[in-house]
Each structure stands twice: as structure tokens, then as C-alpha cells.
Amino acid sequence: MAGLTVAWLIDGTHEAVVFERGRRIGGNARSVAVRLGGRPVWFDLGTQEMSTEDYPLNTRLMRLHGFGDEDFVEVPASRTVLREGEESPLLVGPHEPDPGWPRTKVLGRHWDRLAEFLTRAQEWDNTGLDWEVRLDEMLDSLGTDRRNRPLLYALPAALFGCEPREAGTLSARAATAAFLGGQRSDHAPVTENVRGGLESLAWSLATDLHVARIRPDTGVVRVRQSGSGYELVDTTGEVTRVEAVVFAVPPPVTAELAGSLDGLRDLGATLTAFPYRRVDYALHRDPVGMPDRLEHWSTNNLTLGENHSETTVWYGPVHGVDVFRSQVSRRSRQPSKVLARESFRQLLPTPEVVRAQRRLAAHQGTDNLYFAGHYAFGIDSQETTVESAALVARRLAPSSPRVARLLGTEEGSHDDR
Ligand SMILES: Cc1cc2nc3c(=O)[nH]c(=O)nc-3n(C[C@H](O)[C@H](O)[C@H](O)COP(=O)(O)OP(=O)(O)OC[C@H]3O[C@@H](n4cnc5c(N)ncnc54)[C@H](O)[C@@H]3O)c2cc1C
């Protein structure tokens, strides 16, 4: 998404070439259509949740590509937490306004602990808690009982695809950001999905390129210096000469491709400081990962095992169909009626990542080498991905009308970022 966004923004000002190692474009935006009841229904296996309100740049980019209000579906992000092998759920949060199926909340002491923790985390967030403070350090300072930690670690562990005990090593602000503001006993937070799948944005960006070229199924294997520019050697053996390179791949990949460039030599340890975890997803029709009783079903259902925590998303309240998307890397009971599978690599937001992001930002643009994508700053999301792409495009093509339209810096507007 970052690479395509940069290319679309600078198209016409520069001649961009987007290399994509895979056969399809979109990276973590991976949508599949399933024919249900005679109509195609789209499901996102990777990036799925967004917010037109909290994601202003992504929303503007989508609007520029013709997406309207009808293309976003509201999803009440209700939550159930199950312990593997136990019949009764640990908690079942609210699902508002009217769930449309008989539903019983299970709030109790687990809910109280979670709500209290998130309220305190929100206070820390408001007071500008340093991004480098780890989650376990934050819990220590709050005096949180160690016996409650498996529950508190379960949410970020599922979000980032790591083991629950690893969640304590994540940046507290990054680990809790996705859950803040929504854990009240009287309502569920609301997120939005793209009705036709987020991958449709990638295709819209790609088909609206006039000068830029996309090279799918063509990975870059090496970037080498050539005079004042660079040569990109790809998997077909071809060599492409360029003036500038935007690395829109995970930093450890950049280290492999280009670590020996003069302009990146000092960044070796920085580029490899970004840890990723593989997460496998399945889209399925059997309700594996769901509570035994319908009254406990939520849109997000989390199964907590001895050393793992994985989610199952139920699409009933979104698309009116009993289709589920589950993380299936570690759970003991696997779905059998599988419609699609996909694997992703998820960035773990550790304090080392926060420090590495600062070093990369200081290096941005040196020797015409740029960094764009989910890893560049802040929290890995569709919004930061688009924002990082827009900021790189603005440096490469300050006069590009598309950059001005996206950043709201056209004549007559007052955004001076
Ligand atoms: C499973 C998952 C779910 C997520 N869910 C959400 C969500 O609900 N909401 C949200 O806001 N954010 C979510 N995110 C975060 C965020 O949206 C993504 O991280 C974002 O899509 C990243 O885009 P990107 O362009 O930076 O990187 P990527 O999507 O990783 O794209 C990098 C691309 O580079 C290609 N590539 C790699 N190596 C090479 C090479 N050598 N040569 C050429 N090409 C190469 C890859 O094939 C890939 O297509 C999710 C992330 C993941 C992994």
C-alpha cells in the first residue's frame, strides 16, 4: 500500500517503477470474494478495521479514489474472551445498539480488571507516556497483580501475533492504543470495514497510474550504487537505473537488499531492530473459535490458551452471514470448512522499534534513499502507512497536485504540515 501510494502521488512528476515480489498487489490488504446466497461478499484477511474519523488521510485517499459513505460498513467491535477448554467465557462485553440475536453480557471481575487497566492506560496516554515504556513496566507501576496479566496480555498478543508473555515486552502505548476508549460496560467500540475489501484501494491506485509502471511477480534482490544514482537488480535478472529509492518493504528486507550501500551502512542495526511474527489466518464456515452458546457470541472472540491468544472474527453482524476469520497459527482446534487461507508478517511494536523509527526518520532522504510504510513511525496501521507515503511523496515531488490534494495543501486550504 505504501509503495503504490507513493507511486500514485508522484505519478507524472517522476517516472516511478513499483516492484512487487508477489503475484498480486496490496501486501497486507488482502481481500477475497465468496459467493453466498447468489451474491459475492468480500472479506479482508489482512488489514480490515479502519475508521473514517480516526484515519483522516486514508479516508481522503479513498475519497479521491471514488469511495463514498456506502463503501464503508460499521462494525460494533464487541468482545468475548474464552479460555481454551472451558465452557463458560471469561467475559462477554456489550454489543450495541441491538445485537439482533439473544445475548447475555458476562462482565464480572475479569471485565472489571480489563476496564480498570484500560482506564489507567488511557490516563497514561493522555499525559503523554513515553513510547519506550514497556507494558510489563507499566503494569508494575500500576501495581497490577501478576495473576491478572495473562488476561491483560491476551489482547495485544492476538493483535500482534506474539505469545501472551511476549506482550509484556511491547511498548505500552503501542500495545494498548488499539483498545483504548472502547471498553465501557454500556457500549462496544465501532470500527469500519470496506464493503468491497481494502484490496480494491490498491487496485484503484494501480489502475490510475499514467506514467508509473508496476512490476508484479518481480522482487528486488539487490540495490547497488551507480554513479549518482542506483541500480536495482530484480528476480528476472533485469537491471533498472533510478535516481532515488523508496523502501516500502519491512526494514529487515531493506537490510538484505541494500545494507551495503554507503547511504545505509550506518543503519545496519537499526534496520534489523524491527521484529516480525508470522500470523496465519483462515476464513471458514464452521464456528471454530466461537463460544458454545450463541448468547455469548461477539464480533471479536478471543481464545486464550496456555501459550497463545488468537482471535476469531464473526461476520454475522457485518454481512449477515455465518463466516468466520480466525488466527490459526497455534490454536489446538482448527477449522475444517475453510474458504481461504493467508499468512502475514506482523510487526511487534517494541521500545527498540520506537528508537529505530527515530533513527530512520533522521536518515530520511539521505543520498536519495527514503523509507515509507507501516514501520516508519507511530503505530503500524493503514493510516500511518498512507501518511508515511504522503510525506515521502511530498519530499520527492513537492509540486505534485495529488500530494497537495491528499495533504490538503492546495491553494485555499491551510494545512501546513
Ligand atoms: C494481518 C494484519 C492485519 C492488519 N490489520 C489492520 C487493521 O485492521 N487496521 C489497520 O489500520 N492496520 C492493520 N494492519 C496494519 C497495516 O495496515 C499494514 O501493516 C499495512 O498494510 C502495511 O503496508 P505496507 O505497504 O507498509 O507494507 P506491506 O503490506 O507489508 O507491503 C510490502 C510489500 O512489499 C513486497 N515485497 C517484500 N519484499 C520485496 C522485494 N524484495 N521486492 C519487491 N517487493 C517486495 C511484499 O510482497 C508486500 O506486498 C494489519 C497488518 C497485518 C499484517
Side-chain angles (χ1 to χ4, degrees):
M1 196 61 81
L4 289 168
T5 305
V6 173
W8 182 78
L9 288 169
I10 68 172
D11 191 34
T13 313
H14 293 283
E15 285 174 45
V17 188
V18 183
F19 290 89
E20 170 50 60
R21 186 178 57 184
R23 290 225 173 101
R24 43 165 288 279
I25 59 169
N28 295 335
R30 175 77 177 108
S31 313
V32 292
V34 178
R35 254 198 120 63
L36 293 164
R39 64 184 170 117
V41 182
W42 287 91
F43 300 95
D44 274 316
L45 286 172
T47 310
Q48 177 195 4
E49 291 184 352
M50 50 205 60
S51 153
T52 40
E53 199 179 312
D54 298 338
Y55 285 17
L57 276 184
N58 178 62
T59 305
R60 201 174 306 169
L61 181 66
M62 294 188 76
R63 299 265 186 237
L64 289 172
H65 282 267
F67 290 81
D69 291 344
E70 67 286 1
D71 293 309
F72 296 92
V73 196
E74 281 199 353
V75 185
S78 51
R79 195 181 307 285
T80 294
V81 179
L82 303 161
R83 211 190 292 278
E84 207 165 49
E86 284 181 18
E87 202 181 308
S88 304
L90 294 181
L91 63 88
V92 180
H95 182 109
E96 252 68 56
D98 172 15
W101 69 99
R103 198 159 182 286
T104 313
K105 286 193 268 187
V106 179
L107 298 179
R109 65 193 167 93
H110 294 296
W111 176 265
D112 292 344
R113 281 173 197 155
L114 185 66
E116 187 205 337
F117 163 66
L118 289 172
T119 306
R120 300 295 298 275
Q122 179 79 70
E123 285 162 17
W124 282 53
D125 198 43
N126 292 343
T127 54
L129 169 69
D130 194 309
W131 286 87
E132 290 188 35
V133 174
R134 286 165 39 143
L135 186 56
D136 53 5
E137 291 168 347
M138 181 199 184
L139 292 170
D140 286 345
S141 74
L142 293 176
T144 314
D145 191 328
R146 287 192 175 267
R147 281 172 305 179
N148 298 337
R149 300 214 177 167
L151 173 72
L152 302 181
Y153 288 162
L155 269 59
L159 185 66
F160 299 110
C162 64
E163 287 193 20
R165 61 188 163 81
E166 256 185 312
T169 67
L170 303 180
S171 153
R173 277 189 82 173
T176 51
F179 308 106
L180 295 180
Q183 293 300 322
R184 298 213 316 264
S185 58
D186 57 350
H187 89 147
V190 174
T191 65
E192 284 158 68
N193 289 185
V194 179
R195 199 180 293 280
L198 181 65
E199 196 179 317
S200 58
L201 174 62
W203 287 100
S204 183
L205 289 163
T207 48
D208 195 29
L209 296 174
H210 303 292
V211 180
R213 285 182 296 137
I214 301 190
R215 304 274 312 272
D217 213 2
T218 313
V220 173
V221 290
R222 203 162 152 224
V223 181
R224 59 189 185 214
Q225 201 89 38
S226 167
S228 61
Y230 299 95
E231 282 180 347
L232 276 66
V233 185
D234 67 45
T235 42
T236 69
E238 216 174 283
V239 175
T240 307
R241 288 221 54 198
V242 295
E243 286 167 41
V245 183
V246 180
F247 294 100
V249 290
V253 177
T254 300
E256 267 173 45
L257 309 180
S260 59
L261 288 179
D262 289 346
L264 294 186
R265 204 162 284 151
D266 295 345
L267 286 182
T270 300
L271 294 169
T272 50
F274 290 80
Y276 287 80
R277 292 288 176 275
R278 180 185 151 141
V279 195
D280 306 308
Y281 282 91
L283 189 72
H284 52 100
R285 296 225 60 176
D286 42 343
V288 166
M290 298 301 290
D292 289 345
R293 304 222 299 266
L294 181 62
E295 64 180 313
H296 295 144
W297 284 25
S298 291
T299 45
N300 290 289
N301 305 273
L302 203 138
T303 302
L304 188 52
E306 194 55 41
N307 293 313
H308 69 265
S309 164
E310 293 191 319
T311 55
T312 296
V313 170
W314 173 41
Y315 288 98
V318 186
H319 293 305
V321 288
D322 280 344
V323 172
F324 310 88
R325 181 192 68 154
S326 293
Q327 292 174 320
V328 292
S329 305
R330 300 186 176 119
R331 68 176 69 233
S332 48
R333 224 183 119 211
Q334 293 285 322
S336 55
K337 294 183 182 168
V338 175
L339 300 165
R341 285 183 194 276
E342 194 63 77
S343 297
F344 300 92
R345 297 194 79 81
Q346 183 85 55
L347 175 62
L348 288 192
T350 59
E352 290 73 41
V353 165
V354 176
R355 289 191 281 275
Q357 286 177 324
R358 289 188 190 130
R359 289 196 291 271
L360 278 190
H363 215 83
Q364 185 74 278
T366 306
D367 290 350
N368 274 334
L369 299 173
Y370 295 86
F371 309 99
H374 61 282
Y375 63 91
F377 52 78
I379 297 160
D380 171 8
S381 78
Q382 175 67 11
E383 178 68 4
T384 49
T385 297
V386 171
E387 185 174 0
S388 77
L391 297 180
V392 166
R394 186 172 67 174
R395 288 189 60 171
L396 284 167
S399 60
S400 155
R402 285 179 174 174
V403 170
R405 263 162 43 217
L406 181 61
L407 289 176
T409 51
E410 315 137 282
E411 243 167 80
S413 73
H414 299 283
D415 184 326
D416 60 356
R417 259 188 297 184

